[in-house]
Structure formats: structure tokens, C-alpha cells
Amino acid sequence: MGDKGVKKKDIKDKDIKEKNIEEKDIKKKDKRESANPLGTLPVGRLLLKFAIPSIIAMLVTSLYNIVDQIFIGQSVGELGNAATNIAFPLTTCCLAISLLFGVGGSSAFNLSMGAGEKKEAAHYVGNSVMLMLICGIVLFGISQIFLEPMLRFFGSPEEVLAYAKTYTRITSVGFPFAIITTGGGHLIRADGRPKIMMMCNLTGAAINTALDALFVFGFSWGIAGAAAATVIGQVIAAVLAIYYLIHYQTVQLEWKHLRPQWRFVSRVMSLGTAPCSNQLAMTVVQIVMNKTLKYYGSMSVYGEAIPIACAGIISKVNMLFFSFIIGLSQSLQPIASFNYGAKQYIRVKQAFQKAFFAGAILSIAAFVLFQTCPRQIISIFGEGSEEYFLFSISYFKIFLFFTFWNFMQPITSNFFTAIGKPQRGTFLSLTRQVIFLIPLILILPLFVGIHGVMYAGMVSDGLAGIVAIIMMLREFRLPVYSTRKKGLDSA
């Protein structure tokens, strides 16, 4: 009986032990299933999941301007192309506001979610949406009231001014909607729905393209038709973005989350400063460049309008390339932010490395295209004189020479913002545009004339890439990135 009692006790203990193990396995499984995929799925798969919709969304945003440029170039010609370039600083202002509250809000949201602060996270989204709307309305009002002096300040030649006024007066109506679409897209992506962000932008772009053809060529409305098509596309895209923001999945948004509070606004703005500063710097560069091209163009065989028209086209083509790079860097943001907040530093490093490698491949491909096919690309935007093509080809080959190198600065800058180090991100975002490019645009033409603007772009790109490499290497020498923890080395 004693042996049987011992055996029964052993069997009972074994059953209890197996039951406890089974319960632990179930709890572990439930924990894994309930965990945020940003912290558990393979980094490569996550980056691909977020990168494709982000890149498409950025491409669509760029196509708003490029499609207009093509239709205007084909119907109006060089002066129409110059007019859209004169108005372009206001477009970059819209994008700056979108990035300030869109990237800032999404970074703050993902960092909070990674740290387990779900209640705080909802306020970052709501505050960001409200501030985007307010700033868009203010920018629209300023543009309407100070339109002509503003365009003259942007460097508009007299023969271009009428076209620029027509185009800007109409497109400014769409500023609030453009900001909500772009900035809201970042918040939707932070919610884990990058495809929704892509669909909002695709819908607006498709409508814009169809209406461009109808208004510009069908109704012969010219530059006004292109502007009206842009606004209608932006309105419809914004309505879709607002609908999906109302139905946010990760947190439940309420009216109280829309009320701006300084502790949330300050955090959002600090994290969004880097990408916003980069866009504002682009605005300043655009104005300085237009004025420089106008001044030195008047003393060359090209005249005032040709350099401005060519520079505008090439900057928009370059934006198309940067759509890939910026989309890639934006896809890095939720992954880096969440895992940095969750102290999964090895996953943070892996995400950066994969984004960096993909950016290098895209940049080399763009470099080859820009160096071998400049005339063919320019021809898409309409015909022009031989001087027009001569200047465009030189500008393409020299100004964009370091295209193969240009992925480093935006990816590294966005990375620092994503991990909650906005000061470093802001500094990096200012290196190319403000610290290097503007001084070089002002100095080099004194010695080599209008071609100095081209060399300014080449030199500033090279220097900005070097600074990005140095800062990146310093960051990844920190001990946290070499401390391996169980479960953090999933590829």
C-alpha cells in the first residue's frame, strides 16, 4: 500500500506539474498574441510592410506637383513652369506643418505605446489633428491677403507674376486639406495601417490627374484648371483621412483628445521639429535660389525665366526620387520609436541598418538615371528653346551629382527623431539646406556666375552625407546597441 500511495502521489505531482507548464505556455502564447507586432514581428518584414505604402504615399504627394507641372508645361510652356516654381515655397510650408504635427504626433504616439502609456498616446494624436487644421487655415488666410508681395518676395519675374498669382490664389484654398491628408497619413500609419494612408493619397492623386486632363485640355482653363484639379483632389483625400482618423484602432479617440494641451503639444513639436525644419529650410533655399537665378540669369544668355523654370522642374523630379527615401525613412519611424520605448535596442539598430541599405540601392539607381537621361526627363515637361535644354542638362548633372549619397541625411535625421533625440535630428535636417547650401548659393556665383548655384548643390550634398555618417557611427557605438537580450535578435 505504501508503494502504491507513493506512486499515486508521484502521478498526481506529475499531473500538477504538467498542468502548470501547460498554463504557463498558454499565458506565454496569449502574451505573444496580444503583444504589439512592432515589438515582435521580424524587423525586415515590418520595414517592408510600412515602406511600400509610405513610399507610394510620398510618391503620390510628389505627383500632385509633377502632374500639374507636366500639364502646365504642355499647355502654357516655360512661363507656366516658372510660375509653379515661384509658388512652390508655399507647398513646402504645407508639408512642413504636416511633418511637424504628423511625424511629431506619430513619434510621440509610438514612443508612448511602446512604454505602455496608452492614455497619454491618444492625446498626442488628437492634439496633432487639431493643430494641423488650425495652421492650415492660418496659412490659407496669409496667402490670400499677402499674395502679390509674397510672390514678388519669392523671386517672381514680371512676365511670370500673373501666372503665379492665378495658380497660388486657387491652390491656397486646398492648404488645410493638403496638410490634413499628409500629416493625418503619418498618424494613420502609426496606428498600424500604412495601406490606408496610401489609399487616401492615391485617391486624391487619381482625381487630380483625371481633372487636370479635363480642365487644362478639355475646358482649356490652362494654369487655373490645373490648380482647381489639385484642390479638388486634396479635399477628397482629406475627407478620407479624417474618416479613418475618427475610427482610430489602437486607441479610442474622444473630443477631449482634440483640445490642445501644452504638455502634449510641446512633445509633438519637439519630435516633429527635425522634418519640419528640413522643409522650412527647403522653403528658404527655394526663395534664395529663385532670387539668385533671377539675378544671375539676367546677366547670362538664359535670361530670368529659363533658370527658374528649369530649377523648378528639376527640384520636383528630385522630390520624386526623395519620395522613395523619405517614405523609407518614415517607415523606419514607428518601428524605431516603439522598440526604443520598449528598450529593444537591437531591433532598433537592425531596422536602421535595413533602411540604410535599401536607401543606398535606390539612390544609386536614381544617380544613374539622372546622369544618363536628363534631356529625356526634361522633355516630359514640355518643349523649350535650346538654351532651356542646355541649362537643364547642366543643372541635372552638376546639382544632383551626389544623388547616390543623398539617402544618408534624411534617413539618419528621421531616425534620431524617431528615438526621441529631436535635437540631433533637427541639426542633421539643417546641414544640407541651411548650414551648407544657402551660404554656397550666395558665395559661389560671385566667382563662377549662375553655374555656382549648380556647384552649391553638389558640394552641400557631399558635406551633409559626411556629417550624417559621423553622427550615425557615434550613436551606434553606445553600449545599449551591443547588449544582446533574449528575443531581440530576430531579423
Side-chain angles (χ1 to χ4, degrees):
M1 289 292 292
D3 291 341
K4 289 182 179 179
V6 171
K7 287 181 179 179
K8 285 181 178 179
K9 186 176 183 301
D10 289 342
I11 292 170
K12 186 177 181 180
D13 290 342
K14 185 178 179 182
D15 290 340
I16 292 172
K17 188 175 181 181
E18 288 177 351
K19 185 178 180 182
N20 289 336
I21 292 171
E22 185 178 349
E23 287 177 352
K24 286 181 180 179
D25 289 340
I26 291 171
K27 287 180 180 178
K28 285 181 180 179
K29 183 180 178 183
D30 291 341
K31 188 175 180 181
R32 284 196 303 269
E33 288 176 351
S34 63
N36 194 311
L38 290 171
T40 56
L41 288 180
V43 171
R45 191 193 307 172
L46 278 172
L47 197 64
L48 187 63
K49 174 188 174 182
F50 283 92
I52 293 175
S54 294
I55 289 171
I56 292 174
M58 286 301 301
L59 279 171
V60 170
T61 301
S62 297
L63 285 172
Y64 268 112
N65 298 302
I66 288 182
V67 167
D68 277 0
Q69 191 92 53
I70 292 172
F71 279 101
I72 290 168
Q74 294 288 346
S75 63
V76 180
E78 295 173 11
L79 295 181
N81 282 329
T84 58
N85 190 33
I86 293 298
F88 198 57
L90 289 170
T91 301
T92 55
C93 282
C94 287
L95 190 52
I97 296 169
S98 301
L99 295 177
L100 178 63
F101 299 113
V103 172
S106 60
S107 296
F109 173 80
N110 287 129
L111 285 167
S112 293
M113 292 294 288
E117 301 167 350
K118 193 171 183 178
K119 290 184 179 179
E120 300 278 311
H123 285 279
Y124 291 122
V125 177
N127 277 222
S128 298
V129 172
M130 180 56 68
L131 289 167
M132 282 189 283
L133 179 61
I134 293 170
C135 290
I137 294 171
V138 170
L139 184 61
F140 160 70
I142 292 172
S143 301
Q144 290 289 327
I145 295 169
F146 303 104
L147 182 61
E148 184 169 333
M150 191 181 293
L151 294 175
R152 289 186 184 276
F153 176 73
F154 291 167
S156 177
E158 283 299 327
E159 66 268 34
V160 175
L161 185 60
Y163 292 106
K165 285 173 64 177
T166 299
Y167 185 76
T168 309
R169 192 174 296 282
I170 298 171
T171 54
S172 62
V173 176
F175 288 169
F177 303 101
I179 291 169
I180 288 290
T181 302
T182 305
H186 292 288
L187 299 173
I188 293 169
R189 188 191 65 235
D191 192 38
R193 298 185 293 170
K195 291 181 180 178
I196 298 298
M197 172 189 180
M198 177 186 71
M199 288 305 300
C200 292
N201 285 277
L202 275 175
T203 301
I207 291 169
N208 177 37
T209 303
L211 292 180
D212 261 329
L214 177 64
F215 293 168
V216 175
F217 294 124
F219 296 165
S220 299
W221 289 354
I223 199 167
T230 298
V231 172
I232 294 171
Q234 289 169 342
V235 170
I236 293 173
V239 170
L240 290 174
I242 291 169
Y243 173 81
Y244 287 110
L245 286 168
I246 292 171
H247 296 85
Y248 219 67
Q249 290 183 338
T250 317
V251 296
Q252 183 66 43
L253 291 180
E254 301 174 11
W255 284 107
K256 65 181 181 180
H257 298 135
L258 295 174
R259 188 174 71 254
Q261 298 180 50
W262 178 244
R263 67 191 183 101
F264 300 117
V265 173
S266 59
R267 177 66 167 159
V268 168
M269 292 178 69
S270 68
L271 291 172
T273 297
C276 174
S277 298
N278 191 43
Q279 287 301 317
L280 290 176
M282 285 179 64
T283 304
V284 175
V285 167
Q286 193 74 36
I287 295 169
V288 172
M289 187 174 292
N290 285 344
K291 288 178 173 290
T292 304
L293 290 171
K294 177 184 175 183
Y295 177 77
Y296 287 98
S298 66
M299 297 186 291
S300 71
V301 296
Y302 306 113
E304 292 181 348
I306 285 178
I308 292 175
C310 294
I313 291 171
I314 292 164
S315 69
K316 290 181 175 67
V317 172
N318 194 37
M319 274 187 64
L320 199 62
F321 152 66
F322 263 101
S323 296
F324 288 92
I325 304 302
I326 299 299
L328 186 63
S329 69
Q330 288 174 355
S331 69
L332 174 64
Q333 178 269 313
I335 304 167
S337 292
F338 183 90
N339 285 286
Y340 199 88
K343 302 188 186 321
Q344 300 195 80
Y345 300 113
I346 299 302
R347 286 175 63 83
V348 174
K349 185 176 181 180
Q350 288 173 346
F352 178 87
Q353 289 172 335
K354 291 179 185 297
F356 196 84
F357 179 72
I361 294 174
L362 291 169
S363 298
I364 291 169
F367 168 77
V368 173
L369 181 66
F370 291 166
Q371 292 296 313
T372 57
C373 307
R375 188 179 184 106
Q376 291 87 336
I377 295 172
I378 289 293
S379 298
I380 297 172
F381 297 89
E383 294 300 319
S385 62
E386 191 56 38
E387 288 80 9
Y388 171 79
F389 282 105
L390 181 64
F391 186 86
S392 297
I393 292 169
S394 297
Y395 198 97
F396 241 123
K397 289 188 173 183
I398 300 172
F399 193 85
L400 301 182
F401 179 79
F402 272 111
T403 297
F404 65 89
W405 184 260
N406 279 349
F407 69 96
M408 297 181 189
Q409 184 249 11
I411 290 178
T412 309
S413 174
N414 259 19
F415 171 74
F416 280 119
T417 298
I419 63 173
K421 298 181 179 180
Q423 294 86 357
R424 298 183 188 183
T426 302
F427 170 75
L428 258 181
S429 70
L430 295 176
T431 51
R432 181 189 183 270
Q433 305 287 353
V434 175
I435 298 174
F436 299 134
L437 185 55
I438 291 178
L440 289 170
I441 287 175
L442 296 173
I443 294 169
L444 292 184
L446 295 173
F447 301 97
V448 291
I450 197 168
H451 287 81
V453 176
M454 305 179 192
Y455 291 108
M458 181 177 73
V459 175
S460 62
D461 284 343
L463 294 174
I466 292 172
V467 174
I469 289 175
I470 293 171
M471 292 184 68
M472 172 193 69
L473 292 175
R474 288 183 62 186
E475 173 67 21
F476 288 123
R477 283 181 187 146
L478 295 176
V480 292
Y481 293 105
S482 59
T483 303
R484 287 191 170 271
K485 297 180 182 179
K486 186 177 179 181
L488 298 186
D489 55 355
S490 57

